[in-house]
């Protein structure tokens, strides 16, 4: 009764079937040591050789409650649209199916869970179709994928978690070439049954050991940041739509400064901000299609203040930056490759600029 799951094969079966008054009774159990299992989840096809264990338990009113547990010792994951091109390979995937009430009502009561840990993703570029590739993409590197997802009878995800991690990953973001360790933890709760839309509040992103090079500038190493998305919405159709409120702790504000201009173009005092310690940043993030927006970014402590907004669409780049160090301040206006610096009344200039997101 689960249209998204198929079990197929021939071989040995270990069965302990209880029959009472001519009917299948609680306590029955069937074990299939080897069966080909295929499950379609979130547009992905999971395939592997499984051991299936089916048992019937008794409910409070004497009704039968079917339980199925399947374990894939080895499995691979591919897109439903290209099922022969696997992009994830793993071990020990667990699948549980439970149903309460009469067997005839299985389709209405069926619940399922799929869980796996540390599956190998040989090439993280497989996720690029979901990203605004002109501004955000993986350029190379392997990683791992873990998941724990609860499904309904139709195979749609109700809630769950996904984690993607990469070490020494090569990335491109907003004009900067990056290399480092990435750990993305996504918390999902379905928001729209008709679309692949989810609430993703509490999702996290960590980057460590990050090196980046500003265009024509010097390389920086050892940068890190931790982000938590307190409010987030996610649509997993390709290309991905996502947005929300982010709170970020980062080593320093060097990455923000590099998004807007090269170090040699800033006044010398600006990079004193890098010696001011960790930065606590709040702001909003949204990407939709090929448009990536960072808005209302605010980084402050008792010695400095940095405010920024950035909008990237296709080949177009625009944004505004305000930086303050003690009595010194500067505004930077970016339009494509052009930079206009505003050293006089910089805060008034920045406040006059409109936000990109409502």
């Amino acid at each position: 009764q689960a249209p998204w799951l198929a079990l197929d094969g021939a071989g040995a079966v270990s069965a302990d079937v209880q029959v009472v008054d001519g009917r299948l009774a609680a306590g029955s159990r069937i074990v299939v040591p080897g069966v080909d299992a295929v499950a379609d989840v979130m547009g992905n096809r999971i395939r592997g050789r499984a051991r299936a264990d089916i048992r019937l338990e008794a409910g409070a009113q004497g009704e039968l409650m079917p339980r199925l547990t399947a374990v894939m010792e080895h499995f691979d994951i591919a897109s439903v649209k290209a099922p022969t091109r696997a992009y994830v390979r793993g071990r020990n995937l667990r699948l549980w199916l439970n149903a309460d009430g009469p067997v005839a009502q299985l389709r209405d009561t069926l619940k399922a869970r799929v869980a796996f840990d540390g599956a190998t993703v040989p090439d993280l570029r497989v996720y690029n179709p979901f990203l605004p590739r002109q501004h955000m993409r993986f350029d190379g590197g392997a990683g791992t994928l873990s998941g724990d997802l609860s499904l309904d009878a139709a195979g749609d995800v109700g809630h769950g978690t996904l984690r993607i991690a990469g070490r020494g990953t090569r990335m491109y973001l907003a004009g900067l070439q990056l290399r480092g360790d990435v750990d993305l933890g996504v918390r999902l709760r379905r928001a729209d049954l008709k679309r692949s839309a989810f609430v993703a509040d509490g999702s996290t992103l960590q980057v460590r050991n990050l090196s980046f090079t500003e265009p024509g500038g010097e390389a920086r190493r050892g940068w890190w940041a931790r982000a938590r998305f307190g409010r987030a919405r996610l649509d997993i159709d390709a290309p991905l739509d996502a947005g929300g409120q982010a709170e970020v702790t980062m080593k320093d504000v060097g990455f923000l400064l590099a998004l807007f201009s090269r170090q040699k173009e800033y006044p010398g005092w600006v990079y004193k901000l890098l010696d001011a310690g960790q930065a606590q940043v709040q702001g909003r993030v949204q990407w939709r299609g090929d448009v990536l927006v960072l808005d209302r970014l605010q980084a402050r402590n008792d010695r400095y203040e940095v405010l920024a907004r950035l909008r990237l669409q296709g080949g177009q780049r625009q944004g505004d930056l305000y930086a303050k160090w003690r009595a010194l301040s500067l505004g930077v206006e970016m339009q494509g490759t052009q930079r206009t610096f505003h050293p006089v009344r910089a805060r008034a200039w920045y406040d006059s600029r409109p936000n990109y997101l409502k």
Side-chain angles (χ1 to χ4, degrees):
Q1 297 295 316
W4 51 274
L5 175 66
L7 302 176
D8 190 19
V13 174
S14 174
D16 181 0
V17 178
Q18 306 295 319
V19 178
V20 177
D21 295 332
R23 294 188 177 185
L24 200 63
S28 296
R29 182 181 181 188
I30 299 174
V31 177
V32 183
V35 62
D36 293 327
V38 178
D40 292 341
V41 180
M42 294 176 66
N44 296 277
R45 179 153 295 171
I46 304 171
R47 185 189 302 270
R49 189 73 174 169
R51 178 183 186 274
D53 187 328
I54 305 168
R55 66 187 187 278
L56 295 177
E57 297 180 355
Q61 306 300 321
E63 72 276 13
L64 294 179
M65 298 192 304
R67 303 285 186 259
L68 182 147
T69 302
V71 178
M72 297 184 189
E73 183 176 352
H74 298 277
F75 68 94
D76 58 51
I77 302 177
S79 169
V80 170
K81 298 178 181 178
T84 61
R85 297 203 302 267
Y87 62 86
V88 176
R89 299 187 185 279
R91 302 186 62 181
N92 194 33
L93 181 143
R94 290 86 66 200
L95 169 67
W96 299 271
L97 281 85
N98 297 326
D100 300 332
V103 175
Q105 298 178 9
L106 282 181
R107 186 179 295 275
D108 299 324
T109 63
L110 191 69
K111 296 179 181 179
R113 180 183 171 198
V114 175
F116 57 93
D117 303 298
T120 300
V121 185
D123 189 346
L124 289 170
R125 289 178 296 180
V126 70
Y127 295 113
N128 284 344
F130 295 95
L131 303 177
R133 295 184 61 179
Q134 294 193 58
H135 314 300
M136 179 190 300
R137 65 176 182 264
F138 290 106
D139 282 340
T144 61
L145 174 67
S146 301
D148 190 337
L149 303 170
S150 294
L151 316 175
D152 60 18
D156 294 324
V157 174
H159 60 87
T161 60
L162 290 170
R163 181 183 176 190
I164 300 171
R167 301 293 176 262
T169 305
R170 299 192 306 277
M171 298 163 284
Y172 176 88
L173 176 62
L176 299 179
Q177 298 289 341
L178 316 173
R179 187 184 184 99
D181 303 335
V182 180
D183 195 325
L184 173 64
V186 182
R187 301 178 63 179
L188 298 173
R189 179 167 57 84
R190 196 166 190 86
D192 190 332
L193 295 177
K194 296 181 180 179
R195 298 171 51 243
S196 301
F198 293 88
V199 174
D201 297 357
S203 296
T204 59
L205 172 65
Q206 296 187 53
V207 293
R208 297 179 298 274
N209 303 318
L210 194 72
S211 62
F212 60 90
T213 304
E214 59 190 39
E218 299 180 358
R220 299 196 59 218
R221 295 178 175 84
W223 194 80
W224 57 264
R226 299 188 298 269
R228 182 182 184 276
F229 300 91
R231 299 194 312 274
R233 299 297 181 269
L234 187 67
D235 193 322
I236 63 171
D237 288 335
L240 189 69
D241 284 351
Q245 187 74 23
E247 298 179 0
V248 187
T249 301
M250 56 180 65
K251 180 181 179 181
D252 53 49
V253 294
F255 187 77
L256 281 178
L257 297 177
L259 289 176
F260 285 85
S261 191
R262 294 177 292 180
Q263 180 172 348
K264 65 181 182 180
E265 295 176 336
Y266 284 109
W269 64 264
V270 170
Y271 270 75
K272 292 183 180 294
L273 275 63
L274 303 189
D275 300 323
Q278 296 182 14
Q280 301 292 328
V281 182
Q282 294 182 337
R284 295 182 61 187
V285 180
Q286 182 184 87
W287 81 65
R288 183 167 296 162
D290 71 339
V291 181
L292 174 63
V293 178
L294 308 177
D295 202 11
R296 298 182 181 89
L297 298 182
Q298 303 177 12
R300 295 187 178 95
N301 65 18
D302 57 353
R303 289 181 288 177
Y304 71 84
E305 180 179 32
V306 176
L307 309 176
R309 59 176 68 92
L310 180 67
R311 188 176 191 274
L312 309 173
Q313 180 176 16
Q316 301 177 2
R317 297 169 53 89
Q318 63 182 42
D320 305 312
L321 174 78
Y322 168 78
K324 181 178 182 293
W325 168 263
R326 297 178 179 173
L328 302 172
S329 63
L330 177 72
V332 181
E333 179 181 353
M334 178 176 63
Q335 291 287 342
T337 59
Q338 301 299 314
R339 306 290 187 274
T340 303
F341 292 87
H342 298 266
V344 179
R345 295 178 55 82
R347 182 56 188 265
W349 166 81
Y350 184 86
D351 289 343
S352 70
R353 307 289 288 175
N355 292 322
Y356 293 132
L357 301 176
K358 295 182 180 180

